[in-house]
Amino acid sequence: MLPADTSAPPPDGGPACDAPWRGGWYAPATALPSPNFGARPQGTAIDLVVVHSISLPPGAYGTGEVQRLFTNALDWDAHPYYAGIRGLQVSAHFFIERDGRIWQFVSCDDRAWHAGPSAYRGRDNCNDSSIGIELEGLEGDRFEPAQYQALVVLCRDIAQRYPVAHIAGHEHVAPGRKRDPGPGFDWNALERGLDRPGIAFPPQVNPS
């Protein structure tokens, strides 16, 4: 089942073209379309980026299990942890592995299922107006320089195509329910690298 975006993603994560975007698909990313998406409400401005962290099983990297989760191909019996998430249908627009490789599952023009019950900048249902980026990592642990480099470039390219005004963590849009990306994430590194004063970050994410 292909996303609703009329521009098809690069086949099998094929070679990127020179332009960073093919419709809502990011050419430098490996495309792996997920069935878990929907249309955004008509007239919605895509003005928020939500940063998450994920690893499957928790703390294990490079397993390919995150990709399987987002495409409904995870073997629920493969690990005891999966019993607690059995049947879960979720997705994100992007997933950045520890080495900086970027995967894309949902067109940015469409609504991915990443934030859940959420509210930010005075609005509920953050999935409607946000782009979700998952970093391979564990809450509280550090992330790799290659991931920050990829995240900065990705956010910069997203902000060139969409009217991004805010970047926040899952912990900020769903406080008390979610804690990712957690204290191991360096918000200052992202803000410095992005260097776009017009984009607001959560207040006091890195108090001096």
Side-chain angles (χ1 to χ4, degrees):
M1 180 176 177
L2 286 175
D5 191 344
T6 55
S7 61
D12 300 323
C17 64
D18 292 335
W21 293 99
R22 300 175 182 176
W25 292 90
Y26 186 58
T30 299
L32 185 61
S34 169
N36 303 331
F37 73 97
R40 296 185 187 273
Q42 188 173 5
T44 298
I46 303 169
D47 61 0
L48 171 65
V49 170
V50 179
V51 180
H52 306 250
S53 64
I54 189 173
S55 57
L56 287 175
Y61 303 141
T63 64
E65 297 287 70
V66 173
Q67 291 90 328
R68 284 185 275 274
L69 174 67
F70 289 165
T71 54
N72 298 342
L74 189 64
D75 178 358
W76 304 112
D77 298 317
H79 190 276
Y81 175 80
Y82 300 159
I85 61 171
R86 183 181 292 271
L88 185 68
Q89 292 187 331
V90 291
S91 63
H93 292 93
F94 298 101
F95 173 55
I96 302 178
E97 293 184 293
R98 302 294 285 184
D99 63 1
R101 182 179 182 180
I102 303 174
W103 294 77
Q104 184 172 4
F105 303 91
V106 174
S107 165
C108 290
D109 293 341
D110 289 322
R111 182 184 187 274
W113 303 345
H114 60 96
S118 53
Y120 198 68
R121 76 269 194 248
R123 279 183 272 164
D124 296 332
N125 301 318
C126 291
N127 282 339
D128 290 347
S129 56
S130 68
I131 291 173
I133 303 175
E134 296 272 5
L135 300 177
E136 188 172 35
L138 193 64
E139 293 172 7
D141 281 358
R142 296 180 181 274
F143 298 87
E144 297 293 336
Q147 291 180 287
Y148 286 107
Q149 293 167 11
L151 180 62
V152 165
V153 174
L154 176 57
C155 286
R156 185 179 299 148
D157 287 342
I158 289 171
Q160 287 176 349
R161 188 172 195 273
Y162 300 95
V164 174
H166 301 270
I167 299 179
H170 202 184
E171 60 197 297
H172 303 113
V173 305
R177 187 175 67 83
K178 294 294 183 179
R179 297 182 296 176
D180 59 306
F185 183 74
D186 188 345
W187 285 97
N188 283 330
L190 175 57
E191 188 171 7
R192 285 195 308 268
L194 192 56
D195 192 25
R196 292 182 71 103
I199 295 179
F201 286 77
Q204 297 181 341
V205 290
N206 281 309
S208 56

